[in-house]
Amino acid sequence: MNDSRTVVVGYDGSVEAAQAVRWAARQAAARHCQLLLVHCSLWPLLTDNLGPVPGVADSGLERSAQITLEEGLSHARHLEPELDIETKLVYGWPAEHLVKISAGKDLLVVGSRGIGGFMGLLIGSVSLEMAATAACPVAVIRSDDHPKGPVVVAVDGSGSPTALEDACAMAATSQSSLTIIHVRHTPAGYRQLRDPVDAEAAADEVVNTAIETARALAPAIAVEGRVLTDTSIPRAILNASKGAGITVVGTKGQGLIRGTIGSTAHAVLHHAHGPVLISRRSTTRGGPAETDSNA
């Protein structure tokens, strides 16, 4: 099987990770891909005593990691019993392994392990690191409350070709409609320095071009476009994505410091209530990621 035709999902035994595994299994089946289920155990970093307790069946930290992996497999098998699934148990920091394993693959899927409820921040550190460093598209699964909802993609003045391509693929795979949004940013207190009609025309052109591109990429899906005006780009995207099956945004740069994935992508990841897809690419296996300049 071609390496690129693989969906990778990380599983750590949490409720959020189980949601991610189920979502990833459905995606892999719809894409006719292999599912690679990965569990990263941290125990070898903390102790050398991984073996079983004498006389106690299924004991020991190494066996515990294997049981967690088997549990993740059962989540996927229950949902997609005919799916081609490979499992992989690795030892060490999850982010380091997942970046290497997922390079060049179709998709990396992770759950959200944030501190939900605290200042509205719902994203975990591993999810954020994957969004900033992975060399393939990254889906962060918080919930799947609207699995039949539209795919919503945010595009900037460049048309965000990577995000648009990923959104079309998601819509075609899930047989969902596609909603393309472009936010015309009007900061509070900002004085329009040029004819507002020109600004509106430019925004309309961005959306219309994106619609034409989407219809060429995925002719079987229904596509609509919307120009939004707001003093906050992330807020406009979050409001527009309520009820979406998934929200697709681009990113830029590499690294973990706030802003290196783009302030808009950062905000959407932290505050969205449904799945979010961060568009990333690698031109060569394990090479640097290509990213959109938006978000």
Side-chain angles (χ1 to χ4, degrees):
M1 178 173 292
N2 187 320
D3 257 352
S4 67
R5 302 302 299 158
T6 302
V7 172
V8 180
V9 61
Y11 182 71
D12 63 3
S14 67
V15 171
E16 295 87 350
Q19 291 176 333
V21 168
R22 291 190 290 268
W23 191 93
R26 288 194 295 268
Q27 275 293 309
R31 293 171 181 240
H32 306 290
C33 290
Q34 180 188 61
L35 179 67
L36 175 55
L37 176 69
V38 182
H39 174 57
C40 304
S41 174
L42 293 172
W43 287 118
L45 302 180
L46 306 175
T47 178
D48 293 327
N49 187 16
L50 303 177
V53 177
V56 180
D58 279 338
S59 63
L61 297 176
E62 184 173 10
R63 179 56 186 150
S64 176
Q66 292 170 344
I67 289 173
T68 299
L69 188 62
E70 291 166 5
E71 179 184 88
L73 177 61
S74 70
H75 284 300
R77 282 272 181 244
H78 178 74
L79 197 65
E80 298 289 347
E82 302 301 320
L83 185 62
D84 178 14
I85 306 175
E86 179 183 345
T87 61
K88 191 176 187 67
L89 174 60
V90 295
Y91 297 98
W93 180 241
E96 294 179 1
H97 284 293
L98 289 174
V99 164
K100 294 176 182 177
I101 291 170
S102 65
K105 301 299 194 295
D106 259 38
L107 184 65
L108 170 63
V109 184
V110 292
S112 173
R113 293 280 331 254
I115 49 176
F118 179 74
M119 296 180 67
L121 303 183
L122 303 176
I123 197 73
S125 60
V126 172
S127 302
L128 182 59
E129 186 164 353
M130 293 302 92
T133 61
C136 73
V138 180
V140 179
I141 309 305
R142 181 169 298 109
S143 66
D144 198 8
D145 295 334
H146 304 281
K148 300 300 183 182
V151 174
V152 175
V153 59
V155 299
D156 66 5
S158 71
S160 304
T162 301
L164 186 59
E165 180 182 346
D166 284 338
C168 288
M170 289 296 307
T173 297
S174 60
Q175 297 183 326
S176 303
S177 61
L178 175 65
T179 300
I180 301 169
I181 60 173
H182 173 65
V183 183
R184 193 159 65 90
H185 189 211
T186 55
Y190 176 74
R191 294 185 61 188
Q192 186 72 44
L193 299 180
R194 64 174 180 168
D195 187 343
V197 175
D198 290 343
E200 292 173 7
D204 288 339
E205 179 63 22
V206 168
V207 171
N208 290 335
T209 300
I211 290 173
E212 290 179 8
T213 301
R215 287 174 175 163
L217 289 171
I221 65 172
V223 182
E224 68 168 346
R226 298 167 58 191
V227 174
L228 308 175
T229 301
D230 204 309
T231 57
S232 166
I233 294 177
R235 180 175 61 204
I237 295 172
L238 291 166
N239 286 337
S241 65
K242 290 178 180 177
I246 192 166
T247 304
V248 183
V249 293
T251 183
K252 61 182 180 181
Q254 302 234 0
L256 297 178
I257 304 302
R258 174 181 167 84
T260 57
I261 65 168
S263 59
T264 298
H266 191 279
V268 171
L269 273 176
H270 274 294
H271 297 287
H273 292 287
V276 176
L277 180 72
I278 301 296
S279 293
R280 303 189 66 84
R281 287 288 189 283
S282 176
T283 54
T284 58
R285 177 72 184 277
E290 292 181 354
T291 55
D292 283 329
S293 60
N294 73 312

